Amino acid sequence: MLIVKVHVQNINDAAFTCDALILPVPEDNGAALCKDVDKPLGGLISSVIASGEFTGKHNETCLLHTADKIKPERVLLIGLGKRKNLTRDKLRQAGGKAVSYLINLKMKDLAVSTSVTSSPGHSPLSFIEGCLLADYGYMKYKKEENHKGLEKITLLTGEDLNEQLRWTETVVSASHLARDLVNAPSNEMTPSALVRVARSLKKASVKVIGRKEAEKLGMGAYVAVAKGSNEPPAFIVITYKGKNTKPVALVGKSITFDSGGISLKPSEGMEKMKYDMAGGAAVLGIIKAASEMKMPVHLIGILPAAENLPGGSASKPGDVVKALGGKSIEIISTDAEGRLAVADAIDYAKRFRPSAIIDIATLTGACSIALGHEAMAMMGNDEALMEKMKKASEETSERVWQMPIFEEYKDYIKSDIADMKNTSGRSGSLVSSACFLSEFAGDTPWIHLDIAGTAWTDKDRPYIPKGATGIGVRLLLNFLKQL
Ligand code: BES
Ligand code: MN
Ligand code: ZN
């Protein structure tokens, strides 16, 4: 879905014509802060605050009609909570909450007051980011589109925010692309469809390795995943070179549907396994944004795309396959397919001599058992690199939480007949999957992000509507910006 462009106007809040003016109001001293609007409204805001109908608690809303007293037809008060507790994410959430509220009422043309959010220590950009992230719906298959979204949004400020706004818009539109790809059903979003998306990205070059060639190259782990489906797999390699340096490799798990294969998943909830390509979708979004912003980075995106089905030629539990580097793997569960595909992709990434490999994958159900939907699990072999990721995570609130890869986990994936096996049962399956991948990263600085718990949401969140979240795009773009 396309995002609206943010306009900027240096004009008094009360003088701007629009369907609704969004007015962020803190819990303390709120009325005084919006006196420029309150006064011409004859003290309407002061009175809803005095009566306790609106207190300014975080994400609280109150819609007022202005009856021609000022130019905006309506004013939406949105609570920010106590000023001393205000964070970037609280601003982002408030922006998201306000916009979803107004979209529900079919408002099209909004303005955002910055009288409070541009106070010292805060920027209206987080608020606007929340607004834009909330303006999303996946309506492709609905006859009657019930999410038309915004037509115009204007930030009322005298500050020159153009450059930062452009970054925000680009990042949000990349998140929206990732959401679109993940929300699309698997009969549409096949490996070949991912290839088409990759090829549509400007200023990036794309190479696709098909089934035959992958076999010939020795990607036995990846190929094993695709064997049970008639859908042709596609190992996609995208290069964006915005600077002449060692690349950062971004590997995104791209299982376009994960039925579990012969180790079939229960049918309840299986429809959601279309989101097993959320890692790949994030990588496509990141490369789109990086090239649009002409970021001075060198990126290699790798999407080992395949469909995991239990067809007549599917891999079976007990099969032994040989991965790219020559290691043999006993497939205990065909449902632990992600690490097979990602292992070959990580190994392949090393051919580019990257300064770092970041993989992002909906790898384990255990990830959401451990952290719920509030953070992705991060594991890796380079503490300094992970510190940088934590910093990017704090800024974007796409949270990461570090988990260990203890030496002992190697025992978990010891096979009796091969170099390793692909699962070790339930105990420690979040960390043992990372331990499995670490064998393929070797000495290259590497981070693994498990997004199984965060790539999809079953309920609306302040700036993330139900469905695909687009997770990873904002985090990794921020991470790359810092590098
Ligand atoms: N794609 C799944 C992980 C997953 C589960 C993602 C739920 C999102 C929501 C992955 O391929 C998988 O099936 N993992 C298994 C591994 C097990 C067989 C060791 C799991 O976590 O159950
Ligand atoms: Mn699986
Ligand atoms: Zn999977």
Side-chain angles (χ1 to χ4, degrees):
M1 206 182 104
L2 287 174
I3 68 161
V4 274
K5 200 188 141 33
V6 181
H7 295 254
V8 177
Q9 280 238 12
N10 186 9
I11 183 170
N12 194 294
D13 287 354
F16 187 76
T17 307
C18 55
D19 293 340
L21 168 74
I22 300 172
L23 196 55
V25 184
E27 208 171 329
D28 29 338
N29 213 7
L33 288 162
C34 26
K35 60 176 186 314
D36 288 353
V37 180
D38 191 30
K39 251 209 195 129
L41 284 179
L44 186 58
I45 298 176
S46 312
S47 64
V48 292
I49 292 176
S51 69
E53 281 157 81
F54 179 81
T55 63
K57 268 208 300 287
H58 186 228
N59 287 352
E60 187 187 4
T61 49
C62 178
L63 186 68
L64 304 169
H65 278 246
T66 59
D68 285 337
K69 288 185 181 128
I70 57 174
K71 284 284 161 66
E73 253 182 77
R74 302 165 190 81
V75 171
L76 178 72
L77 308 180
I78 174 81
L80 295 178
K82 292 247 160 54
R83 296 193 86 166
K84 67 172 194 324
N85 298 333
L86 199 54
T87 59
R88 280 178 201 240
D89 201 54
K90 283 200 172 151
L91 282 172
R92 206 179 276 124
Q93 287 183 30
K97 186 76 206 263
V99 161
S100 3
Y101 184 101
L102 293 167
I103 285 178
N104 264 333
L105 297 177
K106 310 255 180 313
M107 304 284 122
K108 298 276 165 231
D109 178 7
L110 309 182
V112 177
S113 163
T114 56
S115 52
V116 174
T117 51
S118 44
S119 56
H122 296 294
S123 151
L125 283 150
S126 306
F127 191 89
I128 268 289
E129 186 180 52
C131 294
L132 297 179
L133 284 166
D135 181 20
Y136 176 82
Y138 185 74
M139 296 300 143
K140 183 169 174 189
Y141 291 98
K142 291 252 190 210
K143 192 162 171 216
E144 244 160 85
E145 212 177 299
N146 52 18
H147 176 104
K148 290 248 168 53
L150 299 180
E151 274 161 21
K152 197 175 167 211
I153 188 160
T154 309
L155 196 58
L156 305 180
T157 178
E159 261 184 280
D160 177 16
L161 296 172
N162 280 319
E163 201 172 308
Q164 297 164 71
L165 263 178
R166 205 172 144 237
W167 168 263
T168 305
E169 284 173 342
T170 310
V171 171
V172 172
S173 98
S175 300
H176 283 193
L177 170 71
R179 288 175 180 179
D180 278 347
L181 301 180
V182 175
N183 281 324
S186 75
N187 58 338
E188 174 194 335
M189 199 43 63
T190 58
S192 323
L194 285 173
V195 170
R196 286 192 289 275
V197 176
R199 291 212 165 111
S200 75
L201 301 179
K202 308 216 164 53
K203 291 188 233 103
S205 58
V206 178
K207 170 177 156 156
V208 178
I209 300 172
R211 197 193 293 267
K212 283 244 166 65
E213 202 189 341
E215 249 162 37
K216 229 196 280 157
L217 285 168
M219 299 179 171
Y222 164 64
V223 169
V225 177
K227 274 174 69 184
S229 170
N230 291 335
E231 203 57 67
F235 190 98
I236 307 169
V237 185
I238 316 163
T239 308
Y240 163 72
K241 198 166 183 177
K243 197 181 179 190
N244 209 352
T245 49
K246 277 186 157 187
V248 173
L250 302 172
V251 173
K253 176 175 172 182
S254 303
I255 302 301
T256 57
F257 188 75
D258 180 12
S259 70
I262 296 296
S263 314
L264 195 63
K265 286 183 182 295
S267 57
E268 197 182 318
M270 204 203 270
E271 72 283 356
K272 276 207 267 172
M273 277 302 116
K274 67 175 183 180
Y275 89 78
D276 217 15
M277 37 60 77
V283 171
L284 290 171
I286 292 157
I287 292 181
K288 170 177 137 79
S291 69
E292 281 173 7
M293 292 299 296
K294 300 198 178 69
M295 278 174 83
V297 287
H298 183 185
L299 301 176
I300 310 284
I302 302 184
L303 282 70
E307 192 178 59
N308 186 21
L309 289 190
S313 50
S315 294
K316 303 169 294 292
D319 286 2
V320 175
V321 296
K322 214 167 214 181
L324 194 53
K327 285 196 181 79
S328 62
I329 303 167
E330 184 184 7
I331 300 176
I332 301 297
S333 169
T334 63
D335 196 12
E337 84 298 338
R339 64 201 76 181
L340 295 174
V342 172
D344 271 344
I346 289 176
D347 211 314
Y348 188 83
K350 290 192 292 193
R351 300 187 173 191
F352 299 92
R353 308 219 159 277
S355 58
I357 301 175
I358 317 289
D359 83 72
I360 175 161
T362 46
L363 210 65
T364 66
C367 178
S368 48
I369 302 289
L371 297 167
H373 310 296
E374 313 314 317
M376 51 194 124
M378 172 169 74
M379 287 143 280
N381 60 10
D382 187 309
E383 289 299 325
L385 199 62
M386 287 193 281
E387 280 311 312
K388 288 187 185 146
M389 193 64 80
K390 283 178 200 167
K391 188 158 172 275
S393 133
E394 275 153 29
E395 290 179 3
T396 54
S397 278
E398 292 200 331
R399 287 204 199 100
V400 301
W401 197 259
Q402 192 177 340
M403 296 296 226
I405 307 183
F406 297 133
E407 282 271 323
E408 286 78 356
Y409 296 141
K410 274 197 190 167
D411 293 341
Y412 290 37
I413 50 172
K414 274 208 172 113
S415 159
D416 292 335
I417 66 164
D419 296 331
M420 48 207 298
K421 59 182 178 184
N422 77 334
T423 67
S424 58
R426 288 156 62 88
S427 167
S429 92
L430 169 63
V431 283
S432 66
S433 66
C435 179
F436 181 93
L437 294 179
S438 73
E439 296 285 320
F440 298 88
D443 295 331
T444 308
W446 155 78
I447 291 179
H448 162 59
L449 300 169
D450 193 331
I451 54 168
T454 45
W456 189 267
T457 176
D458 285 326
K459 57 160 209 221
D460 287 330
R461 291 170 171 254
Y463 54 83
I464 312 176
K466 223 166 33 184
T469 61
I471 192 101
V473 173
R474 292 190 303 112
L475 171 74
L476 290 176
L477 281 168
N478 193 295
F479 171 84
L480 292 168
K481 199 179 180 188
Q482 284 175 36
L483 278 187

